[in-house]
Every structure is written in structure tokens, then in C-alpha cells.
Amino acid sequence: MTTKTLAAGLSAAVLALALAQGAQAQQAPAAPQVTHGAAIPGVCVMSLDGAIGGSTVGQYVQTRLQQIATQVEAELKGEETAITNEAQAIETGRASLSQDAFDKRRADLQVRVNAFQRKATLRERELAVTQQKAIARVGQEMEPLIRQVYQQRQCAMLVNREALLFSNPQMDVTATLVTALNGKITQFAFDRERLDQQAAGAQTR
């Protein structure tokens, strides 16, 4: 398993956690009891969603991503409000403006609107890249631990639990992986990626 492959799976896990956060407040109905057959020797099962969601570092990453998204939202909301207020001021004062002055203010406002739209698109891309890099870091930390757990449990096959309808819990190594990950790392510093600065730096080279 490569870091790239693992990161792809973890990306889905983080997105699933984000979507599920709002649903956690609702009480889920109890799942019906299932009687499992005997555990298959050598076959191990692991949940990527469960591993990242149950780990301290996974919860930290999710919280940090939400903090960054909130900061971006506040930044954009302030500019959006200023643009909306300017548009209303232009319409309110239209009667007292000459046509040229009115057209000039509208044209200037359109420039601001276009710049705001470009900025919002850039921030969206930055959030996506930030998430990808944070997930890749978790993937790098998890990859050797997965191999370690695989060997410790003497697995002959490791299956992603999300691809299964049911499996005997005795074959599940997710909790073991979570314990190993918690013992290795609980958090790491990261901030929003700045794609505009990266582009500017590339142009000056």
C-alpha cells in the first residue's frame, strides 16, 4: 500500500466525517443483531473511516480544517457585505448622480465583484489543497503502522471494511491501528495553503 493510495482512502474518510458531524446529534436506531460465522484465519479487516475518525490526530485534523474554513468564511463574508452595501448605496444615490458618475461607480463596483469572485474561487482551491496535504500527512504516519499491525496479527489478507456488508469483529484490526496511531502522533501544525503566494513566487523565478 502506497501513501498515495492510502491518502485517497483517507480523503473519503475525512469527507465522510465532515458530513456525519451534523448527524451525530441525532440518535441512530439500534442496528439489528447479526450472528457471525467463525473468523477466517489470516483474513483481517480494517476501517479507514473508523481509524481516522477514532484517532486523536484524525479528530484534530478535522477540527483544524473546520477552523480554517470558518476563517475563510469570515474573510469572504466581510468583503461580500461591503460590496452589497456599496451596491445599495449606488442605487440609493442614483437620482443625485450624473449618468457618467453613476456608470463609473457601477463599473468600479463590477471590478470589485469580479475580484471577489476570483478570490472566493482561490480560497476554495486553497481549502481543498490544505485538506489534501493534511490527509497525506496522516497517511504517511499510518502507512508503516498498517504494515506493522498486518504483521503482528499475522494477516494473509487485509480488507477495507467499507467494502464489506458484514464481517466477524474478531478479524477487525481497526482498534489496534488507532491505538498505534495515537501512540505515534496526536497533532501537527498546519495552516491554509496560500496558492496566490506560491504562484507569485513561481513567476519571480
Side-chain angles (χ1 to χ4, degrees):
M1 178 179 290
T2 65
T3 300
K4 181 178 181 181
T5 302
L6 180 59
L10 290 174
S11 178
V14 169
L15 291 176
L17 286 173
L19 292 174
Q21 186 180 30
Q24 289 178 350
Q26 301 178 359
Q27 182 66 35
Q33 294 295 322
V34 175
T35 300
H36 299 281
I40 304 173
V43 177
C44 299
V45 176
M46 182 192 69
S47 169
L48 284 175
D49 287 4
I52 192 169
S55 69
T56 302
V57 69
Q59 294 169 4
Y60 164 79
V61 166
Q62 181 64 20
T63 299
R64 181 63 184 137
L65 288 172
Q66 291 173 347
Q67 291 173 346
I68 294 173
T70 299
Q71 293 169 358
V72 169
E73 182 180 3
E75 174 191 2
L76 295 178
K77 185 63 177 179
E79 292 191 31
E80 182 182 25
T81 299
I83 290 174
T84 300
N85 291 342
E86 175 64 12
Q88 293 174 346
I90 292 174
E91 291 301 323
T92 300
R94 181 171 186 174
S96 62
L97 295 173
S98 67
Q99 187 61 44
D100 287 344
F102 176 76
D103 291 343
K104 177 65 166 55
R105 290 188 64 179
R106 286 291 299 272
D108 291 343
L109 179 62
Q110 187 59 52
V111 171
R112 290 181 61 186
V113 169
N114 293 342
F116 174 76
Q117 291 174 340
R118 290 193 299 270
K119 185 175 186 178
T121 300
L122 177 63
R123 291 292 180 266
E124 183 178 0
R125 289 173 52 210
E126 289 175 339
L127 288 175
V129 173
T130 301
Q131 175 178 280
Q132 291 168 3
K133 288 192 174 184
I135 291 169
R137 171 64 188 277
V138 176
Q140 291 171 0
E141 301 291 346
M142 285 185 67
E143 184 179 2
L145 298 178
I146 292 175
R147 292 197 300 268
Q148 175 182 310
V149 171
Y150 180 90
Q151 293 171 346
Q152 287 176 346
R153 294 290 294 267
Q154 297 182 334
C155 302
M157 176 187 298
L158 180 59
V159 182
N160 186 358
R161 196 173 71 195
E162 278 67 50
L164 303 174
L165 291 177
F166 300 104
S167 62
N168 190 313
Q170 294 179 12
M171 300 186 298
D172 199 309
V173 299
T174 304
T176 304
L177 177 60
V178 170
T179 299
L181 185 58
N182 286 346
K184 183 180 182 182
I185 186 172
T186 58
Q187 66 180 46
F188 56 91
F190 69 93
D191 206 340
R192 191 186 84 232
E193 292 294 314
R194 309 284 177 155
L195 298 182
D196 50 352
Q197 295 178 5
Q198 295 176 14
Q203 293 175 358
T204 59
R205 294 175 184 174

